[in-house]
Amino acid sequence: RQAPRHTHRPDRGNDMAAPSTSRVFAEVLRLPQRQLMKLVYPLRELEQHLVPDSRPDLQQSIFDPSLDDIGRAESVFVATARNRIEYVSSAVRLEHAPDLRQPEVCFIGRSNVGKSSLIKALFSLAPDVEVRISKKPGHTKKMNFFKVGKHFTLVDMPGYGYRAPGDFVDMVETYLKERKNLKRTFLLVDSVVGITKNDNIAIEMCEEFTLPYVMVLTKTDKSSKGHLLKQVLQIQKFVNTQTQGCFPQLFPVSAVTYSGIHLLKCFIANVTGNLK
Ligand code: GDP
């Protein structure tokens, strides 16, 4: 008698288990459990340090994908011949924005908040993408459009600062108000500093236009765990009590340790309809 066929199959380990998980994420999955959880689910890690039943509620369970979902989402961000991830163009006015109909997400934050570093981290599996940085004073600030295959477009909005010129505010406002395919706005806040006056201008803009937006807390590697927890709780409270359109779950990230990056990618894939 012949042995059942499956006993003859070569053992291909993880590749068989999750065929669409990117190779890089398969490596992440091989990390020791504690390190893995800390890297992939930073809020869970922080919550462990809260007094049980004190319920300050980081609400981490609203968007709580499995490792398998996160692995599948990862493949959206891997540049291949069939999934081209590339810079498309820049624009100073909405009329000059590329006519891309696919779902779009934009990233906005004050200068120095860590926006370029975050976008670089999101595109780390697309090494040909050049995240342009023009920070020299006097340089025209532009919106930069990046295409992520046929999946979605990512827009790097100009950083705002103390002396944001009127036409700059007009450009950002017009884009936020009128861009039809904009699915979600990611508003970056420095986790070391907390919400600043400048951040408030952007928050008020999102609220006024009733945009669905999400707060991303950058540079989480810079603070002690205690300071980070304090900031996260404070910002969470702000979101719960002072906002309408802000997604009630924060996304803490570090472009240095990559903590939270995989989860954020999964969220982006989800809001752009790419996590089926
Ligand atoms: P942008 O002006 O918002 O694009 O900010 P950048 O990405 O250029 O970052 C501003 C500064 O913060 C730079 O010196 C970065 O090296 C630093 N930075 C950005 N992200 C992180 C991070 O996750 N961790 C740490 N430690 N530093 C960061």
Side-chain angles (χ1 to χ4, degrees):
R1 266 177 58 188
Q2 270 195 331
R5 263 184 74 88
H6 66 263
T7 58
H8 293 292
R9 280 197 195 147
D11 177 16
R12 285 165 62 200
N14 274 346
D15 294 348
M16 289 290 284
S20 54
T21 296
S22 89
R23 206 169 289 165
V24 173
F25 196 67
E27 258 168 55
V28 171
L29 289 174
R30 281 195 283 273
L31 287 170
Q33 184 71 5
R34 266 202 65 193
Q35 234 174 302
L36 171 70
M37 297 313 270
K38 201 172 146 184
L39 177 70
V40 179
Y41 301 112
L43 276 182
R44 279 194 203 173
E45 150 86 5
L46 277 177
E47 279 210 328
Q48 287 176 9
H49 300 276
L50 291 174
V51 182
D53 301 326
S54 64
R55 305 249 2 116
D57 225 348
L58 295 178
Q59 308 209 22
Q60 45 125 327
S61 55
I62 299 169
F63 179 70
D64 195 23
S66 65
L67 286 171
D68 188 49
D69 288 335
I70 296 174
R72 284 190 300 120
E74 196 78 6
S75 57
V76 170
F77 291 83
V78 181
T80 61
R82 292 178 64 193
N83 187 43
R84 293 184 56 167
I85 302 180
E86 58 198 356
Y87 164 80
V88 181
S89 62
S90 299
V92 283
R93 307 173 64 83
L94 182 61
E95 302 93 273
H96 303 152
D99 184 21
L100 295 163
R101 307 285 167 90
Q102 53 196 24
E104 196 157 283
V105 293
C106 75
F107 283 72
I108 133 172
R110 65 170 175 79
S111 316
N112 222 38
V113 75
K115 186 158 53 64
S116 323
S117 305
L118 173 62
I119 294 173
K120 271 186 207 153
L122 293 173
F123 286 152
S124 66
L125 304 176
D128 293 341
V129 173
E130 202 189 312
V131 181
R132 287 155 187 237
I133 315 171
S134 81
K135 281 188 186 150
K136 288 185 197 131
H139 269 219
T140 316
K141 297 181 171 184
K142 294 175 178 172
M143 310 183 266
N144 300 314
F145 292 78
F146 299 91
K147 225 174 118 182
V148 181
K150 293 191 168 60
H151 294 105
F152 68 93
T153 309
L154 186 153
V155 188
D156 178 10
M157 299 296 280
Y160 44 84
Y162 305 106
R163 284 169 292 159
D167 55 347
F168 161 78
V169 176
D170 287 350
M171 152 172 64
V172 175
E173 273 197 12
T174 311
Y175 170 87
L176 292 177
K177 206 156 54 175
E178 291 177 19
R179 189 68 166 170
K180 294 276 180 321
N181 47 339
L182 178 62
K183 295 293 176 205
R184 205 63 58 116
T185 298
F186 292 83
L187 201 155
L188 276 53
V189 172
D190 188 326
S191 70
V192 182
V193 189
I195 296 172
T196 65
K197 242 189 219 163
N198 277 317
D199 297 328
N200 266 318
I201 296 171
I203 292 168
E204 276 162 23
M205 226 188 266
C206 292
E207 290 286 329
E208 190 188 330
F209 305 149
T210 58
L211 292 173
Y213 66 104
V214 183
M215 248 183 246
V216 176
L217 311 183
T218 61
K219 310 187 192 178
T220 56
D221 62 285
K222 278 181 90 175
S223 306
S224 68
K225 217 174 270 176
H227 181 69
L228 178 60
L229 184 57
K230 193 177 137 218
Q231 293 283 26
V232 168
L233 288 173
Q234 227 168 56
I235 297 169
Q236 182 69 61
K237 190 171 166 195
F238 175 91
V239 168
N240 293 351
T241 58
Q242 313 282 310
T243 70
Q244 300 290 325
C246 186
F247 190 65
Q249 176 178 337
L250 302 172
F251 285 83
V253 295
S254 164
V256 171
T257 66
Y258 274 55
S259 169
I261 298 290
H262 302 286
L263 187 65
L264 181 60
K265 284 183 187 173
C266 187
F267 186 75
I268 296 171
N270 191 41
V271 297
T272 54
N274 288 298
L275 191 68
K276 275 150 207 143

